[in-house]
Amino acid sequence: MKEKQVLIIEDEKPIAEILSYGFKKEGFAVRCAFTGGSGLMAAMEMQPDLVLLDWMLPDLSGVDVCRILTERFNIPIIMLTARSSMEDKLYGLETGADDYITKPFDLREVIARAKTILRRYEKAGAQPQAESSSLIQSGHLTISEAEWIVEKDGIRMDLTPREFELLLYLIRHPRQVFTRAQLLDQIWGYDYEGDTRTVDIHIQRLRKKLDLADSLITVFGVGYKYEPQKKN
């Protein structure tokens, strides 16, 4: 089996070395970059399976790097930063990060969370042909559960694994109202130590990417529901 490749973009070399040691010990191939610019170049060259990204870098900010990477690739990104406010965490997630870990961190936790995210992406990339006929049609959307593909009017849409899981869960339960805590429990599995506003961010992303403002309904004071729309 091919080694998973991890790109560490971190300007503090002792931290980069600790992360590199830990991931190599777990069987990953690791490359380090110490600036945002060199990190982007490394990402273009190697197209890693995972990026560990520091927020504070000497040239481009980690947020800018994250935004560029998510526009060009479907690579899971974990942001590492000393900035611990919930507003910073939410901002990091809004730019496309899959997870957010504050410094100082436990190396074992970083590795465990990285493996969890990689499993989700592997599941999203698996395409078992025997079940490829398992399709869900809802309005302008066609969803292949087996292939983890969403199409809108025949055009394939790029969703992260958690965006896909959230959309699929809501579509499977049309008109049923879920609280943010329920959605966190179902989609994030609650190994996630985050704020319920994480759900809001993912709902906003789905509305924007798929033009679902009329289908992903906010139930004020409660949570969200999916309202099927007829295809015109």
Side-chain angles (χ1 to χ4, degrees), residues 36-120:
S38 62
L40 285 173
M41 290 181 63
M44 305 296 176
E45 291 172 8
M46 66 185 290
Q47 296 190 26
D49 298 290
L50 175 74
V51 175
L52 300 176
L53 176 61
D54 183 29
W55 183 305
M56 303 298 291
L57 294 167
D59 49 354
L60 294 172
S61 75
V63 169
D64 290 332
V65 173
C66 183
R67 187 177 292 112
I68 293 169
L69 288 176
T70 53
E71 286 174 355
R72 300 185 183 182
F73 304 104
N74 189 27
I75 299 173
I77 298 170
I78 298 177
M79 294 203 75
L80 304 172
T81 177
R83 303 173 69 138
S84 59
S85 75
M86 185 52 63
E87 287 69 25
D88 287 332
K89 291 181 181 180
L90 293 173
Y91 183 50
L93 292 169
E94 283 176 345
T95 63
D98 293 83
D99 206 346
Y100 188 110
I101 299 176
T102 55
K103 300 176 182 177
F105 51 75
D106 185 314
L107 180 59
R108 293 168 299 179
E109 180 188 2
V110 176
I111 293 170
R113 285 162 77 164
K115 287 180 177 179
T116 297
I117 290 171
L118 284 169
R119 281 195 297 269
R120 286 182 178 274

Side-chain angles (χ1 to χ4, degrees), residues 175-200:
R175 301 183 181 87
Q176 185 173 340
V177 180
F178 294 97
T179 66
R180 292 165 176 83
Q182 286 174 322
L183 292 172
L184 271 181
D185 188 43
Q186 291 295 328
I187 309 305
W188 280 258
Y190 237 90
D191 55 349
Y192 177 75
E193 299 179 1
D195 190 275
T196 54
R197 285 176 291 178
T198 301
V199 176
D200 300 339

Side-chain angles (χ1 to χ4, degrees), residues 1-53:
M1 183 180 292
K2 182 183 176 182
E3 286 181 317
K4 292 291 183 185
Q5 297 186 88
V6 176
L7 173 61
I8 299 168
I9 307 176
E10 165 65 68
D11 66 318
E12 295 185 54
K13 291 189 178 181
I15 294 177
E17 289 171 358
I18 290 170
L19 290 167
S20 178
Y21 168 80
F23 276 87
K24 284 180 179 177
K25 192 174 179 182
E26 292 293 319
F28 291 86
V30 179
R31 180 169 172 179
C32 294
F34 305 106
T35 66
S38 62
L40 285 173
M41 290 181 63
M44 305 296 176
E45 291 172 8
M46 66 185 290
Q47 296 190 26
D49 298 290
L50 175 74
V51 175
L52 300 176
L53 176 61

